[in-house]
Amino acid sequence: MPERADFLHGGLRMRLVVGLKYILDPEIPPRDFRIDEEARRPVQGRASLVISPFDENALELALQMKDRDPATQVVALSAGPASSEEALRKALSLRVDEAVRVETDPLGEPDGEQTALLLARAVQRLGGDILLVGRQAGDWDRGQTGPIAAEILGWPCVTAVSRIEAADGRLRLRHEGPDGLEVVEATPPLVLTVTNDEANQLRIPKARDILATRSKQVGRLSLDDLGLSPEAVPPRSEVTRLYVPVEEHQCEWIEGDDAEAKARALADRLMALKVL
Amino acid sequence: MRVPTRQVYWNIPGHEWMYALFVVLLAVLAWGIWQRASLWRLGRPARRLDQPGRRLAEMNRQVILQARLLRDALSGPMHLLLSWGFVVLFLGTVVVFLKADLGLPVMQGPFYLYFQSLTLDLFGALALIATAVAAWRRYLERLPRLSRTVQDWVILALFALILLTGFVLEGLRIEVTRDPWGLWSPVGYLFGRLFASFLSVGAMRLLHRGLWWFHLVIAFAFLGLIPFSKMFHILLAPLNVYMRSLEPKGELPPMDVEAAAEAGEHLGAAELTDFSWKQLFDLDACTECGRCEAVCPAHAVGKALDPKYVVLNLREHLHAEGPSLLALAARARSAAENGPAEGEGEAVSHLVGPVIDPEALWACTTCRACMEACPVFIEHVPTIVQMRRYQVMELADYPATMQEALTSLEERGHPFRGSTASRLDWAEGLEVPLLSRLGGAEGLDYVLWVGCSAAFDERNQRIARALATLLQRAGVRFAILGDEERCTGDPARRMGNEFLFQMTARENVDLLRRYGVRRILTLCPHCYNTFRNEYPRFGGEYEVVHHSQLLRELLASGRLRVTRPSLLETTYHDPCYLGRYNDEYEAPRAVLGAVAGGGLREMERNRNHAFCCGAGGGRMWAEEAPSQRVNRERARQALATGARRVGTACPFCMTMLEDGIKSETGGDGSVEVRDLAEIVEEATRPAS
């Protein structure tokens, strides 16, 4: 492929690290969604866990780059409890080269800033040219992890990327900005946060590859491996209150004999409510 | 008095040349059959020769009596007469052989008169009429299911010529020899009189001699063509009926996904060699009659699928590629014997794409109408699903909306992606007991398996509510699994994701075992079929009841009493997985009969001939071109009855038919679609 040489930089193969967060299914029916107000966290109940949707888009972009250039390596990375290895297994069934979990148990449930630190340190440890993460997680929707990881790594960050092409020795990134689409050119090392697009819906695994993952291992990195201790990690931002907002609807009938009277009454009422 | 008989080979000096031609014919036949038969060896093993008694009985029904063929009121008798005509004429020829070549005194006396003369003449005449009917159907009526290729007219012409020349020969002999028993061959006799009216005796002798050789040559030509044409079915159709599947109709052939993956075999059918020898045999057994095409709902609405051409395209591919695949297999065998096989870089001769249009592959609703119509018991659906398996499990190449359904099934336990309902919404306010609360199924009459469609589809929740209400009204002790219920895996299996199906099946069987579930009530024919026919192989043996069956029983025993008979005229739509797959046609009709005072109007296509709603085989989750919607066609058929209500017994049919009726009536509400449970619930509401 003519692009291949462009993908190489510094004589090294491209190595893409994709951050995957394993979250409570955001498509759970609203009435099944429960929170524990005391503990200030959602309750899983019978809901399933899934890969955060924008992270799926990030993984798909990385796999597409690997499709175009088989020398590209894709590493799936997740910072989370043991259950998140399911997400990594799914990534393995999609034929990523490596899958690694950063053990977060000493930290409880890390927030965006903590996760950014863990991912950044893991990238330094595992080696990588691009870190891709979803633009925001499907559970807390904070959107901090990518930019903070870029800060820690000292790498440029392009947010809300939906497509990646290689051209003229650079990467051409499609960024969805507030005023429309922008095409940005950049060279690795980079942090990209990925948004969804019809072209980056995560592919589905093949049965044969799922079977093959049974013999594959998920790598593990402890805080220690990353040169960190629980104390060295910035404290978790604190949620002071968690609640399901209650929406209240009030309905009022506007009375009137004919359309004009009704319109007049409506206008009066709106002015009384200070809407008009 | 002289013993009635006739001279064999009268007027035919040098008839011994016939034996030389006969040897050539035998050689051609043997070579032709070998050519075909050797290709079947490309297939994988299959067990199709057990239970000979049962097999012979069905063969008798379908080959001797031709039960399936006779469903077509014109083509059926046509085929019966044509085939039996030729069989009887062939027996007549055997009698000649016994006398002429073995010297047995069989061709004389009453047997000669009654059988060899009269019976043969009658059967010959009937076969001639049948040939005319066949020609009329194909070339004048131009039945769409019949093709009009060169072989089609050549074969018909051969039939006509063989029969006509036979009669003319007989007539000429009767005339010239002044045969005293000539009238025992009435048709031949008439032909003789006809020719005698304008030919001299000498001319008749000459004509007879020439025609005899012509008759012989075309008869042999016809026989020689058998292995090279659709007429091969004369030999293969009876065998194919004999070797038909004896497994439950509702079970797709299982496969050991893990073992196949480990052995490096294709998961599903990528190429011909992935089929069983029986599936390859099916291809050669096809008579090209097009009955499958005529009943296929996908074909009827203009989709790419034509089951006849699934078979014919695969057959053509088998004949074209088979020999080189055989050579390849032989080389692989010798390589395996002679040392390490490299086997690398072996090109796969793909079926889907070059041979089978992917659109056709995905258009199948697995409704089984084709298999039910096929007079030679070709198994279209398993072959289609086997090709789907490869597309899904090895290539992950299938329609996006179907992918979403299966991903949802895997991650969320149901295929209705984006549904905002939860498993228990339908039961709100009904106080339906949960198995998890009861701790087990002991003391229950049934565990009600609600199914995803009735749980997650807002419209179909009303079916589940109606059924639960009826069970409470009739005092049936039941419980549900609630949040613990998952899809049975039926959509995954029909779409070809055997791996996901088997995982799901094992999990469900485990769950039901933990609760000690023995009796399952379903309101969905797909769940019904899967529990009844497919779970036994995974260790799940249950007594499975469809709600139409239970409702019939409750109505008959008086546990449900009709308080307000429903006066709407109703037509009933047979769900494929209740009817064709499980032979339950009568329970739903009995239920409707018990509660519907308005009477039942049958659609033209009902029972085993019913037209699918369009949802099966995973089509529920496929995108449909507006002009190619199977459900709208079925809705038109329902509307044509003039009934004001369409009754059905499947939540998927409900979705499809309600949508179809809405589109066809402009949503004017003039015709309603109701599940049996809803109809019965309304009709048995206690008077308050």
Side-chain angles (χ1 to χ4, degrees), chain A residues 25 27 29-32 46 48 50 56 90 204-208 210-211 214, chain B residues 258 261 265 393-395 398 407 411-412 417 420-422 425 428 483-484 499:
Chain A
D25 183 1
E27 286 189 25
R31 59 175 296 158
D32 281 358
R46 299 197 58 80
S48 20
V50 298
E56 286 197 344
K90 178 162 184 191
I204 50 169
K206 300 165 185 170
R208 182 179 293 283
I210 296 175
L211 287 166
R214 290 186 181 169
Chain B
E258 280 146 54
E265 292 165 6
M393 291 196 288
E394 294 255 33
L395 304 181
Y398 59 113
T407 305
E411 289 179 351
R412 304 181 177 92
R417 165 121 205 244
T420 52
S422 76
D425 282 2
E428 204 171 271
D483 279 332
E484 289 182 284
F499 180 66

Side-chain angles (χ1 to χ4, degrees), chain B residues 350-654:
Chain B
H350 281 283
L351 298 174
V352 178
V355 184
I356 301 294
D357 179 354
E359 279 208 30
L361 188 74
W362 294 107
C364 177
T365 68
T366 70
C367 80
R368 204 173 190 279
C370 51
M371 291 177 63
E372 195 69 23
C374 180
V376 303
F377 287 72
I378 290 169
E379 294 160 26
H380 312 72
V381 176
T383 293
I384 286 173
V385 172
Q386 208 184 336
M387 290 188 278
R388 285 183 174 186
R389 283 177 180 168
Y390 180 74
Q391 297 301 110
V392 171
M393 291 196 288
E394 294 255 33
L395 304 181
D397 179 11
Y398 59 113
T401 49
M402 288 175 150
Q403 295 187 9
E404 277 186 20
L406 290 191
T407 305
S408 173
L409 199 167
E410 188 174 350
E411 289 179 351
R412 304 181 177 92
H414 69 79
F416 291 90
R417 165 121 205 244
S419 166
T420 52
S422 76
R423 280 256 181 221
L424 279 162
D425 282 2
W426 68 270
E428 204 171 271
L430 282 181
E431 290 173 22
V432 176
L434 286 171
L435 259 187
S436 54
R437 298 261 168 76
L438 302 177
E442 200 142 312
L444 293 179
D445 296 321
Y446 296 101
V447 166
L448 170 60
W449 185 276
V450 181
C452 308
S453 181
F456 292 103
D457 183 297
E458 214 172 308
R459 161 68 186 86
N460 294 338
Q461 290 173 355
R462 303 214 301 264
I463 305 175
R465 278 188 81 82
L467 181 59
T469 307
L470 283 169
L471 296 176
Q472 290 173 340
R473 195 173 288 163
V476 175
R477 287 163 303 176
F478 74 103
I480 57 171
L481 282 149
D483 279 332
E484 289 182 284
E485 196 181 292
R486 298 172 49 100
C487 177
T488 59
D490 162 80
R493 188 166 229 198
R494 264 81 210 163
M495 285 190 226
N497 197 335
E498 185 67 11
F499 180 66
L500 179 55
F501 165 72
Q502 294 190 5
M503 261 183 354
T504 310
R506 288 196 188 99
E507 283 172 24
N508 281 331
V509 168
D510 275 352
L511 177 70
L512 294 169
R513 185 182 297 130
R514 279 204 300 281
Y515 283 124
V517 177
R518 293 282 318 130
R519 287 154 41 111
I520 298 175
L521 173 66
T522 74
L523 55 83
C524 171
H526 295 263
C527 302
Y528 174 76
N529 180 67
T530 302
F531 281 126
R532 184 170 186 243
N533 297 317
E534 302 193 313
Y535 276 17
R537 206 175 283 272
F538 298 89
E541 304 261 2
Y542 314 102
E543 185 190 322
V544 193
V545 176
H546 183 255
H547 73 310
S548 63
Q549 298 165 330
L550 181 65
L551 290 179
R552 170 174 62 181
E553 197 186 303
L554 295 176
L555 284 163
S557 67
R559 288 172 74 185
L560 285 175
R561 280 178 204 286
V562 180
T563 52
R564 44 183 107 178
S566 155
L567 295 175
L568 278 184
E569 280 198 323
T570 303
T571 185
Y572 173 67
H573 164 80
D574 286 281
C576 306
Y577 278 81
L578 187 62
R580 264 191 296 272
Y581 277 105
N582 287 290
D583 298 308
E584 186 55 88
Y585 302 111
E586 298 314 322
R589 288 179 169 78
V591 169
L592 284 174
V595 300
L600 189 61
R601 289 195 177 191
E602 290 292 355
M603 286 183 253
E604 194 183 318
R605 292 191 56 176
N606 62 67
R607 293 186 170 81
N608 64 345
H609 199 50
F611 192 89
C612 176
C613 73
R619 295 295 307 170
M620 178 74 205
W621 297 276
E623 282 188 89
E624 298 271 14
S627 62
Q628 297 186 337
R629 294 205 167 138
V630 173
N631 62 333
R632 293 188 65 162
E633 175 57 32
R634 186 53 165 171
R636 282 193 283 274
Q637 297 171 9
L639 291 172
T641 64
R644 299 276 311 282
R645 177 167 61 194
V646 183
T648 188
C650 170
F652 291 100
C653 296
M654 171 60 71

